[in-house]
Amino acid sequence: MAVSHTTVEDRPHVALPVLGTVTLPEPEHLAFYAALLALGVLEIVEWPVVGIVAIGHFLAGQHRFAVLREVGEAAEAA
């Protein structure tokens, strides 16, 4: 079975006010979010934890956030 990875340009983008343009995750990552949502619905994991993990996972996959890049550069300089 061949696995094809989409490029960032091929995936849909969403413009957010503070963060700028955000690329939606690959379909493989959507399974992770669905499982995380199921854990929240079944009350295995509390909702604040689900939110923190989902946001952290999403941000870790983003390489286009200028704001995050600037914060990282400032942290390195400190």
Side-chain angles (χ1 to χ4, degrees):
M1 178 166 104
V3 177
S4 64
H5 293 282
T6 59
T7 62
V8 173
E9 293 81 19
D10 293 340
R11 290 184 277 150
H13 296 22
V14 177
L16 297 176
V18 175
L19 300 176
T21 302
V22 177
T23 303
L24 294 180
E26 294 181 10
E28 294 86 15
H29 293 274
L30 293 178
F32 173 80
Y33 295 123
L36 196 58
L37 179 65
L39 291 173
V41 169
L42 296 173
E43 296 181 359
I44 296 171
V45 178
E46 294 183 12
W47 282 108
V49 175
V50 170
I52 290 169
V53 171
I55 291 169
H57 185 266
F58 181 74
L59 291 177
Q62 295 292 318
H63 302 286
R64 298 176 46 148
F65 284 132
V67 173
L68 292 177
R69 185 172 40 249
E70 292 171 5
V71 168
E73 291 171 358
E76 286 179 358

mmCIF file of all heavy atoms in Angstrom, residues 33-61:
data_model
loop_
_atom_site.group_PDB
_atom_site.id
_atom_site.type_symbol
_atom_site.label_atom_id
_atom_site.label_comp_id
_atom_site.label_asym_id
_atom_site.label_seq_id
_atom_site.Cartn_x
_atom_site.Cartn_y
_atom_site.Cartn_z
ATOM 1 N N TYR A 33 -7.385 13.360 16.413
ATOM 2 C CA TYR A 33 -8.358 14.273 17.013
ATOM 3 C C TYR A 33 -9.671 13.558 17.301
ATOM 4 O O TYR A 33 -10.324 13.828 18.314
ATOM 5 C CB TYR A 33 -8.590 15.481 16.110
ATOM 6 C CG TYR A 33 -7.363 16.347 15.958
ATOM 7 C CD1 TYR A 33 -6.836 16.625 14.701
ATOM 8 C CD2 TYR A 33 -6.719 16.884 17.060
ATOM 9 C CE1 TYR A 33 -5.710 17.417 14.555
ATOM 10 C CE2 TYR A 33 -5.596 17.669 16.938
ATOM 11 C CZ TYR A 33 -5.101 17.935 15.678
ATOM 12 O OH TYR A 33 -3.977 18.707 15.537
ATOM 13 N N ALA A 34 -10.084 12.638 16.427
ATOM 14 C CA ALA A 34 -11.320 11.885 16.654
ATOM 15 C C ALA A 34 -11.196 10.996 17.886
ATOM 16 O O ALA A 34 -12.128 10.915 18.695
ATOM 17 C CB ALA A 34 -11.645 11.048 15.420
ATOM 18 N N ALA A 35 -10.047 10.340 18.043
ATOM 19 C CA ALA A 35 -9.830 9.498 19.219
ATOM 20 C C ALA A 35 -9.799 10.348 20.488
ATOM 21 O O ALA A 35 -10.361 9.960 21.522
ATOM 22 C CB ALA A 35 -8.529 8.720 19.073
ATOM 23 N N LEU A 36 -9.176 11.498 20.403
ATOM 24 C CA LEU A 36 -9.120 12.408 21.547
ATOM 25 C C LEU A 36 -10.524 12.888 21.914
ATOM 26 O O LEU A 36 -10.887 12.951 23.092
ATOM 27 C CB LEU A 36 -8.216 13.583 21.200
ATOM 28 C CG LEU A 36 -7.709 14.459 22.324
ATOM 29 C CD1 LEU A 36 -6.929 13.631 23.340
ATOM 30 C CD2 LEU A 36 -6.823 15.552 21.757
ATOM 31 N N LEU A 37 -11.317 13.198 20.910
ATOM 32 C CA LEU A 37 -12.699 13.608 21.140
ATOM 33 C C LEU A 37 -13.494 12.484 21.794
ATOM 34 O O LEU A 37 -14.270 12.722 22.726
ATOM 35 C CB LEU A 37 -13.344 14.021 19.812
ATOM 36 C CG LEU A 37 -14.792 14.461 19.879
ATOM 37 C CD1 LEU A 37 -14.918 15.751 20.688
ATOM 38 C CD2 LEU A 37 -15.339 14.657 18.482
ATOM 39 N N ALA A 38 -13.285 11.256 21.330
ATOM 40 C CA ALA A 38 -13.983 10.109 21.918
ATOM 41 C C ALA A 38 -13.608 9.940 23.389
ATOM 42 O O ALA A 38 -14.472 9.636 24.224
ATOM 43 C CB ALA A 38 -13.659 8.840 21.138
ATOM 44 N N LEU A 39 -12.335 10.136 23.722
ATOM 45 C CA LEU A 39 -11.916 10.047 25.125
ATOM 46 C C LEU A 39 -12.623 11.104 25.977
ATOM 47 O O LEU A 39 -12.977 10.847 27.124
ATOM 48 C CB LEU A 39 -10.403 10.207 25.234
ATOM 49 C CG LEU A 39 -9.565 9.060 24.679
ATOM 50 C CD1 LEU A 39 -8.089 9.440 24.705
ATOM 51 C CD2 LEU A 39 -9.816 7.782 25.440
ATOM 52 N N GLY A 40 -12.829 12.280 25.409
ATOM 53 C CA GLY A 40 -13.539 13.320 26.139
ATOM 54 C C GLY A 40 -15.010 13.007 26.303
ATOM 55 O O GLY A 40 -15.585 13.195 27.381
ATOM 56 N N VAL A 41 -15.632 12.523 25.233
ATOM 57 C CA VAL A 41 -17.060 12.197 25.278
ATOM 58 C C VAL A 41 -17.329 11.057 26.262
ATOM 59 O O VAL A 41 -18.316 11.081 26.998
ATOM 60 C CB VAL A 41 -17.570 11.835 23.863
ATOM 61 C CG1 VAL A 41 -18.955 11.235 23.911
ATOM 62 C CG2 VAL A 41 -17.560 13.076 22.977
ATOM 63 N N LEU A 42 -16.446 10.072 26.273
ATOM 64 C CA LEU A 42 -16.609 8.941 27.190
ATOM 65 C C LEU A 42 -16.146 9.262 28.607
ATOM 66 O O LEU A 42 -16.197 8.398 29.490
ATOM 67 C CB LEU A 42 -15.835 7.729 26.655
ATOM 68 C CG LEU A 42 -16.332 7.170 25.328
ATOM 69 C CD1 LEU A 42 -15.390 6.099 24.815
ATOM 70 C CD2 LEU A 42 -17.749 6.632 25.479
ATOM 71 N N GLU A 43 -15.705 10.482 28.826
ATOM 72 C CA GLU A 43 -15.254 10.980 30.116
ATOM 73 C C GLU A 43 -14.090 10.166 30.680
ATOM 74 O O GLU A 43 -13.932 10.021 31.885
ATOM 75 C CB GLU A 43 -16.412 11.035 31.110
ATOM 76 C CG GLU A 43 -17.485 12.011 30.692
ATOM 77 C CD GLU A 43 -18.629 12.101 31.676
ATOM 78 O OE1 GLU A 43 -18.611 11.384 32.702
ATOM 79 O OE2 GLU A 43 -19.547 12.886 31.424
ATOM 80 N N ILE A 44 -13.251 9.653 29.784
ATOM 81 C CA ILE A 44 -12.021 8.982 30.200
ATOM 82 C C ILE A 44 -10.962 10.034 30.510
ATOM 83 O O ILE A 44 -10.166 9.872 31.427
ATOM 84 C CB ILE A 44 -11.555 8.000 29.103
ATOM 85 C CG1 ILE A 44 -12.592 6.886 28.934
ATOM 86 C CG2 ILE A 44 -10.176 7.434 29.411
ATOM 87 C CD1 ILE A 44 -12.359 5.981 27.757
ATOM 88 N N VAL A 45 -10.985 11.107 29.732
ATOM 89 C CA VAL A 45 -10.083 12.242 29.928
ATOM 90 C C VAL A 45 -10.951 13.487 30.085
ATOM 91 O O VAL A 45 -11.951 13.646 29.395
ATOM 92 C CB VAL A 45 -9.130 12.402 28.711
ATOM 93 C CG1 VAL A 45 -8.226 13.583 28.883
ATOM 94 C CG2 VAL A 45 -8.319 11.136 28.504
ATOM 95 N N GLU A 46 -10.583 14.362 31.003
ATOM 96 C CA GLU A 46 -11.365 15.574 31.229
ATOM 97 C C GLU A 46 -11.195 16.546 30.070
ATOM 98 O O GLU A 46 -10.157 16.582 29.413
ATOM 99 C CB GLU A 46 -10.935 16.235 32.531
ATOM 100 C CG GLU A 46 -11.257 15.385 33.752
ATOM 101 C CD GLU A 46 -10.889 16.081 35.045
ATOM 102 O OE1 GLU A 46 -10.606 17.293 35.021
ATOM 103 O OE2 GLU A 46 -10.885 15.402 36.083
ATOM 104 N N TRP A 47 -12.225 17.361 29.825
ATOM 105 C CA TRP A 47 -12.248 18.258 28.671
ATOM 106 C C TRP A 47 -11.103 19.267 28.636
ATOM 107 O O TRP A 47 -10.561 19.528 27.560
ATOM 108 C CB TRP A 47 -13.599 18.965 28.570
ATOM 109 C CG TRP A 47 -14.627 18.040 27.990
ATOM 110 C CD1 TRP A 47 -15.656 17.453 28.654
ATOM 111 C CD2 TRP A 47 -14.687 17.552 26.654
ATOM 112 N NE1 TRP A 47 -16.351 16.639 27.806
ATOM 113 C CE2 TRP A 47 -15.785 16.692 26.560
ATOM 114 C CE3 TRP A 47 -13.918 17.770 25.517
ATOM 115 C CZ2 TRP A 47 -16.129 16.039 25.378
ATOM 116 C CZ3 TRP A 47 -14.263 17.127 24.338
ATOM 117 C CH2 TRP A 47 -15.355 16.272 24.287
ATOM 118 N N PRO A 48 -10.707 19.853 29.757
ATOM 119 C CA PRO A 48 -9.561 20.771 29.667
ATOM 120 C C PRO A 48 -8.295 20.079 29.171
ATOM 121 O O PRO A 48 -7.522 20.654 28.405
ATOM 122 C CB PRO A 48 -9.387 21.282 31.100
ATOM 123 C CG PRO A 48 -10.730 21.119 31.722
ATOM 124 C CD PRO A 48 -11.328 19.897 31.091
ATOM 125 N N VAL A 49 -8.096 18.836 29.582
ATOM 126 C CA VAL A 49 -6.929 18.080 29.133
ATOM 127 C C VAL A 49 -7.050 17.775 27.643
ATOM 128 O O VAL A 49 -6.074 17.889 26.888
ATOM 129 C CB VAL A 49 -6.765 16.781 29.957
ATOM 130 C CG1 VAL A 49 -5.629 15.932 29.425
ATOM 131 C CG2 VAL A 49 -6.565 17.105 31.422
ATOM 132 N N VAL A 50 -8.243 17.405 27.199
ATOM 133 C CA VAL A 50 -8.476 17.156 25.773
ATOM 134 C C VAL A 50 -8.144 18.408 24.968
ATOM 135 O O VAL A 50 -7.460 18.345 23.946
ATOM 136 C CB VAL A 50 -9.936 16.716 25.511
ATOM 137 C CG1 VAL A 50 -10.256 16.700 24.029
ATOM 138 C CG2 VAL A 50 -10.197 15.358 26.127
ATOM 139 N N GLY A 51 -8.595 19.553 25.437
ATOM 140 C CA GLY A 51 -8.329 20.809 24.728
ATOM 141 C C GLY A 51 -6.857 21.149 24.675
ATOM 142 O O GLY A 51 -6.328 21.536 23.615
ATOM 143 N N ILE A 52 -6.166 20.986 25.790
ATOM 144 C CA ILE A 52 -4.737 21.305 25.834
ATOM 145 C C ILE A 52 -3.947 20.383 24.916
ATOM 146 O O ILE A 52 -3.078 20.832 24.160
ATOM 147 C CB ILE A 52 -4.217 21.229 27.280
ATOM 148 C CG1 ILE A 52 -4.801 22.386 28.093
ATOM 149 C CG2 ILE A 52 -2.695 21.234 27.323
ATOM 150 C CD1 ILE A 52 -4.574 22.263 29.583
ATOM 151 N N VAL A 53 -4.252 19.089 24.954
ATOM 152 C CA VAL A 53 -3.533 18.131 24.107
ATOM 153 C C VAL A 53 -3.820 18.404 22.635
ATOM 154 O O VAL A 53 -2.905 18.389 21.793
ATOM 155 C CB VAL A 53 -3.901 16.681 24.489
ATOM 156 C CG1 VAL A 53 -3.347 15.689 23.480
ATOM 157 C CG2 VAL A 53 -3.397 16.359 25.879
ATOM 158 N N ALA A 54 -5.076 18.678 22.294
ATOM 159 C CA ALA A 54 -5.431 18.941 20.895
ATOM 160 C C ALA A 54 -4.749 20.203 20.382
ATOM 161 O O ALA A 54 -4.198 20.209 19.274
ATOM 162 C CB ALA A 54 -6.948 19.056 20.756
ATOM 163 N N ILE A 55 -4.766 21.260 21.167
ATOM 164 C CA ILE A 55 -4.126 22.508 20.744
ATOM 165 C C ILE A 55 -2.616 22.319 20.631
ATOM 166 O O ILE A 55 -1.994 22.773 19.663
ATOM 167 C CB ILE A 55 -4.484 23.651 21.707
ATOM 168 C CG1 ILE A 55 -5.960 24.007 21.563
ATOM 169 C CG2 ILE A 55 -3.609 24.874 21.454
ATOM 170 C CD1 ILE A 55 -6.484 24.936 22.631
ATOM 171 N N GLY A 56 -2.022 21.639 21.587
ATOM 172 C CA GLY A 56 -0.585 21.389 21.535
ATOM 173 C C GLY A 56 -0.186 20.562 20.332
ATOM 174 O O GLY A 56 0.803 20.854 19.655
ATOM 175 N N HIS A 57 -0.955 19.537 20.029
ATOM 176 C CA HIS A 57 -0.676 18.688 18.870
ATOM 177 C C HIS A 57 -0.824 19.494 17.583
ATOM 178 O O HIS A 57 -0.009 19.365 16.662
ATOM 179 C CB HIS A 57 -1.622 17.492 18.873
ATOM 180 C CG HIS A 57 -1.347 16.498 17.808
ATOM 181 N ND1 HIS A 57 -1.971 16.519 16.597
ATOM 182 C CD2 HIS A 57 -0.492 15.446 17.774
ATOM 183 C CE1 HIS A 57 -1.531 15.527 15.860
ATOM 184 N NE2 HIS A 57 -0.628 14.858 16.549
ATOM 185 N N PHE A 58 -1.855 20.306 17.507
ATOM 186 C CA PHE A 58 -2.085 21.117 16.316
ATOM 187 C C PHE A 58 -0.949 22.124 16.111
ATOM 188 O O PHE A 58 -0.414 22.266 15.018
ATOM 189 C CB PHE A 58 -3.425 21.841 16.426
ATOM 190 C CG PHE A 58 -3.746 22.668 15.225
ATOM 191 C CD1 PHE A 58 -4.133 22.077 14.044
ATOM 192 C CD2 PHE A 58 -3.659 24.049 15.282
ATOM 193 C CE1 PHE A 58 -4.433 22.833 12.932
ATOM 194 C CE2 PHE A 58 -3.955 24.818 14.181
ATOM 195 C CZ PHE A 58 -4.342 24.209 12.999
ATOM 196 N N LEU A 59 -0.570 22.814 17.174
ATOM 197 C CA LEU A 59 0.495 23.813 17.065
ATOM 198 C C LEU A 59 1.848 23.177 16.757
ATOM 199 O O LEU A 59 2.665 23.772 16.054
ATOM 200 C CB LEU A 59 0.584 24.643 18.340
ATOM 201 C CG LEU A 59 -0.585 25.578 18.607
ATOM 202 C CD1 LEU A 59 -0.412 26.281 19.939
ATOM 203 C CD2 LEU A 59 -0.746 26.586 17.485
ATOM 204 N N ALA A 60 2.079 21.978 17.265
ATOM 205 C CA ALA A 60 3.340 21.297 16.983
ATOM 206 C C ALA A 60 3.466 20.970 15.498
ATOM 207 O O ALA A 60 4.574 20.921 14.965
ATOM 208 C CB ALA A 60 3.444 20.022 17.806
ATOM 209 N N GLY A 61 2.354 20.766 14.837
ATOM 210 C CA GLY A 61 2.375 20.452 13.411
ATOM 211 C C GLY A 61 2.420 21.667 12.507
ATOM 212 O O GLY A 61 2.585 21.537 11.298
#
